[in-house]
Amino acid sequence: MKQYLTPDEWCIVEEGFHAAYNEITESLMSLGNGRMGQRGNFEERFTGKTLQGNYVAGVYYPDKTRVGWWKNGYPDYFAKVLNAANWIGIDIDIEYESLDLNTCTVRDFRRVLNMKEGYLERSFIATLKSGKELKVNARRFCSIVDDEAGAIRYSITPLNFDGKITVTPYIDGDIRNRDANYDEKFWDEVRKETGYAEAYIELRTRKTGFHVCTGMCLEIEQDGAPIDFQSQPIRREKYVANRISLDCRQGQETVIYKFACNLSSLNYDSDHLVQETRQYIKRLSSKGFERMLLEQKQAWADQWKMNDIVIEGDVAAQQGIRFNIFQLEQTYTGEDERLNIGPKGFTGEKYGGSTYWDTEAYCLPFYLSTADPKVARNLLLYRYKHLGKAIENAKKLGFRAGAALYPMVTMNGEECHNEWEITFEEIHRNGAIAYAIFEYVRYTGDERYLVDYGLEVLIAISRFWSQRVHWSTAKQQYVMLGVTGPNEYENNVNNNWYTSYIAAWTLRYTIEAVGIARKLDPEKYAELCDRIHFREEKEVETARHIVANLYLPYDEDRGVFLQQEGFLDKELMPASDLPKGQRPLNQHWSWDRILRSCFIKQADVLQGLYFFEEEFDGETIRRNFDFYEPMTVHESSLSPCVHSVLASRLGLKEKAYEMYLRTARLDLDDYNNDTEDGCHITSMAGTWLAVVKGFGGLRVRDNQLVLNPYCPDNWESLSFKVRFRGALLQVKVTKAEVEVQNFSARPVSILLADAPLTLEANSRKAVNRTEKV
């Protein structure tokens, strides 16, 4: 772990410049607004350790894969979310010296991500080799009000000299992805324009043909007042800038305001992109920086009013949960059903930034409880609109009759992941998508979604499961061979319990959904059956036979479900017995050694018990938790949160807190030595799960909200809000009592600690934890 950041409830604070950790800090200080985002890079030149990153949502490139493309059915590309034009750059030159924090002496350095108000601020004093000292303060944000724009206030103050300072704000489109498979660049220039204190550059992606126009305009103040200045336009390949020479006096603050936006052909006609960008920039300039910043602060205040989780008595835990919520909110807003949630969001290039099963398994509950139902619905519609591609993906692998295999990784519905054992064996993602439909309907009560969209997806996924199993004569049961479960430290195994269980569950739920859709809208149901050639009697009969006869490995002696056949042949040992210095295993062991070990990357059997806990009694969950958790090394960011929720369910408070802190501070403390690649955005939703489903005990049972909250021993209190079927509730938990407040204009009935509680409109009730509700 790396603990160089200052604990703070509302900010991520770096006191002093930690150059060796700069790429980690860049990830942590990332900004976004759902449409665009960037890493916490410096505005001025920096020749030290850095990963420059600016991203535009939905814009990608199909980078030809380096492995496996010659095999039948193998994807020939891996989709890359592109490193887009760098709009934040402001070069500073003092006579013949450049301001570069890698070559000058830096003191009083402070970098702060203000999560409460949604901006990044940095200040320092730099001493150049000539001895000249310069004080710098920079503040910037990606606006969540003008969600295709960003703004910078960059101030410079000479401390021991008078002289000319040359300022060169620029847009640089001559960039590349660090993770490019063949080191090629992915952008071509279309056009560029420069003018007085403004510049525009339009780029087009190769192959995919996305157009993005980035524009900027400038204003300058000295002594708190605007000044007239001369700007020299600069134009070179994929680069536009304005060079400005300023006379600066010792102690005088010069402020450069830079307004910028990224408009893409996803949302605008590419023939008029520069014109649209110019109008957008004009509107930003007319607002001005201070008004934009005020709007930003107000918008974030509204977000936090709804979604804040308040922890009293534990600053590290409080900082962690707010950091996770902040990154989730600035990554995905739900306004555009074409967009989804990449594992790195706008914080880095790793994983391609594309859509994984993380969205359905981890992120959906967060948006169900904290946002308008349309946000979660848009996440489901994203998959519905990719159903045709999912059917194509399955067809390439030999499946037929409308069977669908959703991709492991995608941007447009096509599979674009390029590791065989993941791409074609980690098929449990199909089940997560089915489970997300179930969870949405259960939480919102919107059964109409099944009629209009959900049932068609469920039938296609069930057709895949029906064909993916086969009858074993030896076992006289159905088996599922050659799969990879959630534990990616096992590949190509037979009868992974989780995969088989979620397949059987999907078949069961599809049968239930058929009944619901037929009853709600017989005419539309009949039309669907005709359109997709669904033969209810035959397909339901097949599904029921599979469910009744599917092999699920189980150890009678231990009373646990076996992760897969042969798991007990391994040398079983707890992860605590591993020699110090050998973790993370994936950075110290060969893959062969990992695959032969008993060690588990993330929840596998326990993932199934988390999803389907109502189908198992407490002792079953406890036996499996006690067996598998000690062997789990949590080297996936998705792992600790599931264990935290289950530990809370079992009353294992210390373990629940340990796992919560690990997931909440996974990136802040760089647990797995990989934060420099970007933050783990989708696992951040797991942090929310650990609090609200774990410590809060939130469930939905029989169309009713259930809460069974407790407060970790070292916390004074815990407070969170949830939406549920039009109601807004706040729950506050202390050692002594639970207080529930209803902000709705109608009564709400819930189960609190398994006892019924009715809250009148706009009322609150406090229940002593030792009393009956």
Side-chain angles (χ1 to χ4, degrees), residues 60-71 74-80 82 179-186 206-208 415-418:
Y60 69 95
Y61 179 83
D63 194 12
K64 186 173 180 61
T65 183
R66 296 180 66 89
V67 296
W69 49 266
W70 57 87
K71 298 175 183 176
Y74 208 95
D76 65 357
Y77 72 89
F78 186 81
K80 300 290 171 67
L82 298 189
D179 66 349
N181 285 339
Y182 294 91
D183 294 325
E184 63 181 317
K185 295 182 179 180
F186 300 144
R206 298 174 182 175
K207 296 185 181 179
T208 45
E415 177 63 77
C416 62
H417 195 272
N418 55 13

Side-chain angles (χ1 to χ4, degrees), residues 209-262:
F210 294 106
H211 289 239
V212 176
C213 184
T214 304
M216 72 171 187
C217 72
L218 311 168
E219 296 173 4
I220 299 178
E221 291 180 353
Q222 286 185 330
D223 297 322
I227 64 169
D228 292 326
F229 57 90
Q230 298 294 318
S231 71
Q232 176 190 353
I234 301 172
R235 302 170 65 178
R236 57 177 185 257
E237 185 181 1
K238 300 181 189 177
Y239 178 95
V240 288
N242 291 102
R243 181 175 295 142
I244 303 148
S245 183
L246 299 169
D247 291 316
C248 299
R249 301 189 311 274
Q250 181 176 334
Q252 178 189 54
E253 182 185 45
T254 299
V255 180
I256 301 99
Y257 293 103
K258 183 176 184 181
F259 305 93
C261 68
N262 289 301

Side-chain angles (χ1 to χ4, degrees), residues 699-732:
R699 305 290 189 273
V700 177
R701 192 181 308 143
D702 298 327
N703 293 310
Q704 196 168 30
L705 192 70
V706 178
L707 293 164
N708 193 15
Y710 75 95
C711 193
D713 291 340
N714 58 323
W715 294 0
E716 295 172 14
S717 70
L718 164 66
S719 175
F720 59 88
K721 289 179 181 174
V722 292
R723 299 176 191 252
F724 181 72
R725 301 193 181 185
L728 174 59
L729 303 177
Q730 178 171 289
V731 181
K732 183 171 183 178

Side-chain angles (χ1 to χ4, degrees), residues 46-64:
F46 182 64
T47 55
K49 185 181 173 77
T50 183
L51 172 59
Q52 186 71 46
N54 290 268
Y55 311 98
V56 179
V59 176
Y60 69 95
Y61 179 83
D63 194 12
K64 186 173 180 61

Side-chain angles (χ1 to χ4, degrees), residues 494-512:
N494 294 334
N495 300 308
N496 170 257
W497 182 87
Y498 171 75
T499 305
S500 295
Y501 195 91
I502 204 167
W505 175 88
T506 302
L507 294 171
R508 283 192 279 129
Y509 182 55
T510 302
I511 295 169
E512 179 185 335

Side-chain angles (χ1 to χ4, degrees), residues 475 479-481 493-497 500 551 553 563-565:
K475 284 186 169 64
V479 294
M480 194 178 303
L481 308 181
V493 302
N494 294 334
N495 300 308
N496 170 257
W497 182 87
S500 295
Y551 175 63
Q563 187 172 276
Q564 71 265 348
E565 278 194 285

